[in-house]
Amino acid sequence: MVSSPHEAMHRIFQEYPGLFSRVSEVLGIDIPSPTSATVLPNDLTENSPVERRVDTLLRIDTEHDGPFLLAVEAQGKKDPRKTTSWPYYVSYLHNRYGALPVLLLVVCQDHTTAQWAATPITIGLRQWPTLTLNPLVAGPHNMPVIKNVPEARKDLALATLAAITHADNPDVDAILKTLSAALRDTPESLADPIAELVAQGLGNRPAAQQWRNLVAVDTSFYKSFMSEEIRDEGRAQGQAQGRAGSLLLILEARGIALTDELRHNITTCTDPHLLNQWLQRAATATTAEEVFAEGH
């Protein structure tokens, strides 16, 4: 599994294509509710050595206003190259799919990037712009802060995107607790991808560990990759503690004295290979130096 906020910010629209309908409402854009949504190939490469890929591309069908294309870009920071690639994406899609309207949605996790991404991109002369691109931006500046469990349950996909975009919010602890509580009565088929998307979206932020702790409280309803990973970590930790305990017993039985520092190194070691190495040495060693000598 790719653990990346970038992946989560756009892949959530693949998992829940209808999510854009609710996001557009939050952003104040009057776009018809979809009747269906189809994930399309995201490869925008032409017959040239330059490869271009939009993060996620969807065809959104509506009941009365016809279909349109939704290109979703996850943006973690300012990138001057996007001023050329985003207009290219839209122009290419307009050319490839003919009459289908094209909408570019940029998802961000910080205010500075969101403000930058929302700046119109103009191509042409100052006196007469030939083309102006207006990205639609979703980020911490306009996504709801959901700290009410019934509200989160009402639209889990939107609550998930909101939690991801508010990864750096000072109230992220309350946001994550709310989402976790909302998932407790949710079928596994819905809870699993949400648990993983949130883990991806939080990346290596401190809040990521809190989310793991919330999931670990009751992993019985999380049969996902992440919860399996948590259980594997727990088993590995238990095995390491067992090896450390055995090593201390052997050293004590052989009369090998340990300094406080060495004892601390043993009890905090999580490397099973190193613990096994120390155990093998302890069986024949007569001093602590023989057990813990590097390169021995």
Side-chain angles (χ1 to χ4, degrees):
M1 181 185 72
V2 179
S3 296
S4 162
H6 178 276
E7 288 293 310
M9 283 193 289
H10 73 85
R11 192 167 68 85
I12 188 172
F13 289 91
Q14 296 180 23
E15 296 286 342
Y16 309 99
L19 170 62
F20 178 68
S21 172
R22 280 95 75 191
V23 172
S24 65
E25 292 178 9
V26 172
L27 301 182
I29 308 298
D30 184 17
I31 293 177
S33 300
T35 55
S36 65
T38 307
V39 178
L40 301 176
N42 65 342
D43 190 348
L44 308 185
T45 306
E46 293 189 86
N47 294 326
S48 69
V50 179
E51 182 178 288
R52 299 179 176 91
R53 292 180 185 272
V54 66
D55 287 333
T56 285
L57 180 62
L58 301 171
R59 173 189 166 124
I60 305 290
D61 293 290
T62 65
E63 186 174 359
H64 301 295
D65 290 6
F68 66 93
L69 296 177
L70 175 64
V72 184
E73 282 280 280
Q75 198 63 35
K77 61 182 179 180
K78 294 181 181 180
D79 185 351
R81 294 172 297 178
K82 297 299 184 180
T83 59
T84 57
S85 60
W86 285 346
Y88 171 84
Y89 294 166
V90 173
S91 299
Y92 175 88
L93 293 169
H94 176 73
N95 180 66
R96 178 175 177 179
Y97 290 93
L100 290 184
V102 182
L103 181 60
L104 173 65
L105 173 67
V106 183
V107 184
C108 307
Q109 288 179 295
D110 68 273
H111 292 271
T112 301
T113 303
Q115 184 178 13
W116 164 81
T119 303
I121 299 172
T122 301
I123 298 175
L125 299 177
R126 175 177 57 82
Q127 299 88 337
W128 192 268
T130 303
L131 182 151
T132 300
L133 175 65
N134 290 293
L136 186 61
V137 179
H141 63 298
N142 54 16
M143 284 289 98
V145 176
I146 301 177
K147 294 189 288 185
N148 178 275
V149 175
E151 182 182 355
R153 285 199 181 112
K154 184 178 178 181
D155 194 333
L156 286 171
L158 181 62
T160 301
L161 179 64
I164 292 171
T165 55
H166 287 291
D168 294 320
N169 190 301
D171 288 334
V172 68
D173 289 358
I175 294 171
L176 295 179
K177 288 178 181 177
T178 298
L179 182 57
S180 176
L183 291 178
R184 292 192 183 280
D185 298 323
T186 303
E188 293 176 9
S189 59
L190 295 177
D192 287 354
I194 287 176
E196 294 185 21
L197 280 166
V198 174
Q200 284 184 337
L202 296 176
N204 58 2
R205 293 172 171 83
Q209 185 57 51
Q210 188 206 358
W211 179 247
R212 297 173 70 84
N213 293 339
L214 287 169
V215 172
V217 168
D218 183 8
T219 57
S220 62
F221 68 98
Y222 285 122
K223 305 300 182 184
S224 64
F225 177 92
M226 189 179 73
S227 58
E228 288 297 331
E229 186 181 66
I230 291 172
R231 285 189 284 270
D232 289 343
E233 289 178 357
R235 285 192 289 266
Q237 183 178 7
Q239 291 172 356
Q241 291 173 346
R243 290 188 180 97
S246 298
L247 177 58
L248 291 172
L249 288 173
I250 292 173
L251 293 173
E252 182 180 356
R254 294 185 58 79
I256 298 176
L258 294 174
T259 65
D260 291 341
E261 181 181 0
L262 286 176
R263 187 176 297 275
H264 175 75
N265 291 343
I266 293 172
T267 56
T268 59
C269 181
T270 58
D271 185 342
H273 300 291
L274 183 57
L275 286 167
N276 283 339
Q277 187 179 57
W278 289 343
L279 279 168
Q280 291 172 359
R281 293 176 184 174
T284 57
T286 57
T287 65
E289 288 74 13
E290 294 179 40
V291 177
F292 301 104
E294 296 183 5
H296 178 66

